[in-house]
Amino acid sequence: MAEPAAGSEESESIYVVVVSENTESALGTTNSCKEGSSPKKKTTWCSPKVLLLIFCLMNLLNYVDRGVIASTGVNGTPKVCNESGECIAGKGIQGAFNLTNFQDGALSTAFMVGLLVASPIFASLAKNYSKPFKLIGVGLLIWTIATACCGVTSSFWNIAVCRMLVGVGEASFVSLAAPFIDDNAPVEKKTFCLGLFYMCIPVGIAVGYVYGGFVASHLNWRCAFFGEAILMLPFVLLCFFMEPLQLKGFESGEATLTTSVQTELHEVKITEVSEQGKDVVDVSSGGGQSNNKTSRKTYLSKRTIKQISKRTIKRISRFWKDMFWNDMKVLLLEKVYVVSVLGYVAYTFVIGAYSYWGPKAGADIYHMTNVDMFFGGTTLICGVLGTLAGGYLLDRINCSIKNGFKLLTATTALGGACCFGAFCFKSMYGFLALFVLGQLFLFGAQAPVNFICLHSVKPSLRPISLAISTVAIHIFGDVPSSPLVGYIQDHIHKWRTTALILTSVFAVAAAIWLIGIFLHSVDRYNEEDNASTTQGSNTETVAA
């Protein structure tokens, strides 16, 4: 390439010509398997059973934390002072920070803010980052640090921020764990494996409640958070330092690197109108040696370099926006996915309100003693048995989207009918029998609905599909349901009627999922992602 004549003041065109014949050898990678090249070795350290166990333990710890924060709230008491000025110290988080009941309750849901904001972000990053397994490691590292910080905070706002960061850390796991399990599980046991994974939700909450109460009574509530962080740390290290796994529908790190470099290594025309001196940029293959196949020299002004940087930042920002919103448009146009999420929202609306108001309603209607123990115990047992049964049954009847909707409709309709009938009984024993049976049916929906969310979209959209599903069921489901039920009860003043109104929403969920049976559904698990992104043309003009 000829250098520009010295002292030239007129606008000049400078060509950067890169011969990419030897690009692959310079980078040590190839974009496709050529003759004589060896394909990338497949990760062998993690069998499907080991991977499932690891993700189940991670999920268990996530929900143990939910149980711990609930335990410290329920068992905590604020400081109480009498008229003479004598005060009795409070217990738990509420006593340590002298919180009101509203503040104490807000802590239990503060993590939801971080979870809802970060879930779509992590899911979108997974499409553009070649090592999604490490994204889980990043999230769990944030989770571990934030959980440990909960044990050293000194004010309400400090711990509230820490709880939000716990939600941010959990977001990466929520979006990516289920697709990894779905990729590696045996074909005949995919839904059952998902059932095992989601079974950890009720188990984790129950274990966390017991663990949090035990540690708080024998040591200090702060120690419970330290214990969680210590237990999660090995999984963080595993995600970062073990050979990373790849998700179906995503390019490997080498392919992404090669594509990116080959996009850049084209003939670029740069129009230089600056009258300032030229800076030399030298890119070579290493060792100080230069050749016309693996090196390039350009003469660029500082102003031009600055403009290129600004354009790059704008392009990245535009790509991020387009990528996220384009994915959202695809999801919203996928009728099967939308119907599954809408039914899931109605289902979660009732389940969330049950978990919050169930003990209070049971105590008021049937004058039950140890109502917390009953609802906690039945949720644990029915959650485990029902979730596993739902996954196993779908696998047995041919694991398909249409059969998934059939199972969702049947289990929700039967479970809702049993729970509705339970609250109609005047006898406490009749209530207990039907309510336990109803919960068994209802928890059977967990694995099938997540199977449909995963398989109704192409592989590269699975993380964002789960992220949006999680955001939707919380924003429109369990977050508004508890205060809304409280509002109804404040006006009706009769828990039996309030409980029956709430339970009738299960009929809405069953009706929505019934629609899914008649929709044309295609399992997109093996669908190739043919979407391609064009990053400019071979020639780009940068004006000063």
Side-chain angles (χ1 to χ4, degrees):
M1 177 181 66
E3 296 182 5
S8 176
E9 295 182 358
E10 296 181 359
S11 176
E12 54 191 29
S13 295
I14 301 172
Y15 293 85
V16 182
V17 181
V18 178
V19 181
S20 58
E21 293 174 357
N22 202 31
T23 299
E24 293 174 356
S25 61
L27 293 174
T29 184
T30 58
N31 192 36
S32 61
C33 292
K34 296 185 176 181
E35 187 178 357
S37 63
S38 58
K40 182 185 174 188
K41 286 186 179 180
K42 191 175 181 180
T43 302
T44 57
W45 66 269
C46 201
S47 67
K49 291 182 179 179
V50 172
L51 184 68
L52 179 62
L53 176 62
I54 290 171
F55 279 127
C56 284
L57 291 175
M58 290 178 180
N59 202 29
L60 190 70
L61 284 175
N62 273 312
Y63 282 92
V64 163
D65 177 73
R66 307 268 187 97
V68 168
I69 195 68
S71 174
T72 56
V74 171
N75 295 320
T77 56
K79 181 174 67 174
V80 179
C81 299
N82 55 30
E83 296 179 355
S84 61
E86 296 178 351
C87 296
I88 301 175
K91 296 186 299 182
I93 292 177
Q94 192 173 17
F97 304 138
N98 197 27
L99 306 181
T100 63
N101 287 327
F102 174 78
Q103 289 175 318
D104 192 27
L107 286 181
S108 65
T109 56
F111 83 96
M112 201 75 74
V113 176
L115 181 67
L116 299 183
V117 171
S119 290
I121 295 176
F122 274 108
S124 295
L125 284 174
K127 284 197 68 179
N128 200 39
Y129 184 63
S130 60
K131 297 178 180 178
F133 195 70
K134 288 193 174 182
L135 282 178
I136 296 179
V138 172
L140 293 183
L141 179 61
I142 296 173
W143 188 96
T144 302
I145 295 173
T147 302
C149 288
C150 288
V152 297
T153 51
S154 57
S155 69
F156 166 74
W157 287 110
N158 286 342
I159 195 170
V161 171
C162 289
R163 296 306 303 169
M164 293 178 191
L165 289 175
V166 167
V168 171
E170 186 178 330
S172 66
F173 184 77
V174 167
S175 305
L176 300 172
F180 272 116
I181 293 173
D182 193 53
D183 279 353
N184 290 275
V187 176
E188 69 279 4
K189 294 183 178 180
K190 281 185 179 294
T191 318
F192 180 74
C193 290
L194 287 174
L196 280 171
F197 177 71
Y198 288 105
M199 175 200 73
C200 296
I201 295 176
V203 174
I205 293 175
V207 171
Y209 197 90
V210 174
Y211 162 75
F214 179 83
V215 173
S217 61
H218 288 79
L219 296 172
N220 187 287
W221 63 268
R222 297 179 184 272
C223 295
F225 292 110
F226 296 147
E228 293 177 43
I230 293 172
L231 290 173
M232 184 63 82
L233 189 58
F235 297 106
V236 175
L237 298 176
L238 178 71
C239 291
F240 277 114
F241 297 110
M242 295 298 289
E243 185 181 356
L245 301 174
Q246 294 295 331
L247 274 176
K248 184 179 179 66
F250 295 88
E251 292 181 338
S252 65
E254 289 81 0
T256 303
L257 175 62
T258 303
T259 303
S260 175
V261 173
Q262 288 181 339
T263 302
E264 294 294 330
L265 300 186
H266 284 295
E267 182 180 343
V268 180
K269 178 180 179 182
I270 301 175
T271 303
E272 173 60 69
V273 298
S274 173
E275 298 181 359
Q276 302 177 5
K278 310 296 188 293
D279 296 329
V280 178
V281 180
D282 187 2
V283 180
S284 65
S285 60
Q289 297 179 352
S290 175
N291 61 68
N292 62 348
K293 291 186 178 181
T294 61
S295 68
R296 56 180 175 174
K297 290 185 178 180
T298 67
Y299 296 84
L300 305 175
S301 71
K302 293 180 180 179
R303 185 178 178 184
T304 304
I305 294 174
K306 185 176 181 180
Q307 287 190 342
I308 292 174
S309 300
K310 287 183 178 179
R311 287 170 64 89
T312 302
I313 293 173
K314 288 181 180 179
R315 186 174 299 154
I316 292 173
S317 176
R318 185 169 63 251
F319 173 72
W320 168 263
K321 181 179 179 180
D322 291 345
M323 178 180 64
F324 178 75
W325 288 112
N326 286 340
D327 288 349
M328 283 294 297
K329 290 176 184 177
V330 172
L331 290 178
L332 292 177
L333 291 174
E334 181 55 63
K335 296 178 181 178
V336 173
Y337 174 77
V338 172
V339 168
S340 68
V341 173
L342 288 177
Y344 204 8
V345 167
Y347 169 91
T348 307
F349 184 93
V350 186
I351 294 294
Y354 269 3
S355 65
Y356 192 84
W357 291 113
K360 194 171 185 67
D364 182 83
I365 299 172
Y366 299 104
H367 308 290
M368 298 170 61
T369 57
N370 298 322
V371 66
D372 286 342
M373 293 295 294
F374 166 74
F375 275 88
T378 55
T379 300
L380 174 61
I381 296 172
C382 295
V384 172
L385 297 179
T387 305
L388 291 179
Y392 177 78
L393 187 59
L394 183 56
D395 285 329
R396 295 291 295 177
I397 63 174
N398 185 12
C399 196
S400 67
I401 292 177
K402 189 174 291 291
N403 284 341
F405 275 122
K406 291 178 181 179
L407 189 59
L408 288 174
T409 304
T411 56
T412 307
L414 290 172
C418 288
C419 290
F420 191 91
F423 283 109
C424 292
F425 266 93
K426 293 184 178 180
S427 167
M428 182 180 70
Y429 298 106
F431 164 78
L432 294 179
L434 274 182
F435 191 75
V436 170
L437 184 61
Q439 283 202 84
L440 277 172
F441 280 120
L442 291 170
F443 275 108
Q446 285 286 344
V449 70
N450 284 283
F451 171 85
I452 293 174
C453 287
L454 286 171
H455 285 249
S456 60
V457 300
K458 58 187 179 182
S460 62
L461 290 180
R462 290 182 304 169
I464 193 71
S465 74
L466 286 182
I468 297 304
S469 172
T470 301
V471 169
I473 65 174
H474 289 311
I475 289 182
F476 304 109
D478 53 3
V479 170
S481 66
S482 294
L484 185 58
V485 169
Y487 177 82
I488 294 173
Q489 174 60 20
D490 288 340
H491 287 75
I492 295 179
H493 301 292
K494 191 173 182 181
W495 270 114
R496 189 187 298 275
T497 303
T498 300
L500 289 173
I501 293 173
L502 173 65
T503 306
S504 63
V505 178
F506 279 131
V508 177
I512 293 174
W513 281 331
L514 178 64
I515 296 173
I517 298 175
F518 302 99
L519 294 176
H520 174 67
S521 58
V522 177
D523 192 324
R524 303 186 186 279
Y525 177 75
N526 290 316
E527 181 176 311
E528 292 293 332
D529 184 5
N530 295 320
S532 60
T533 303
T534 304
Q535 301 180 2
S537 61
N538 291 351
T539 301
E540 182 177 355
T541 301
V542 181

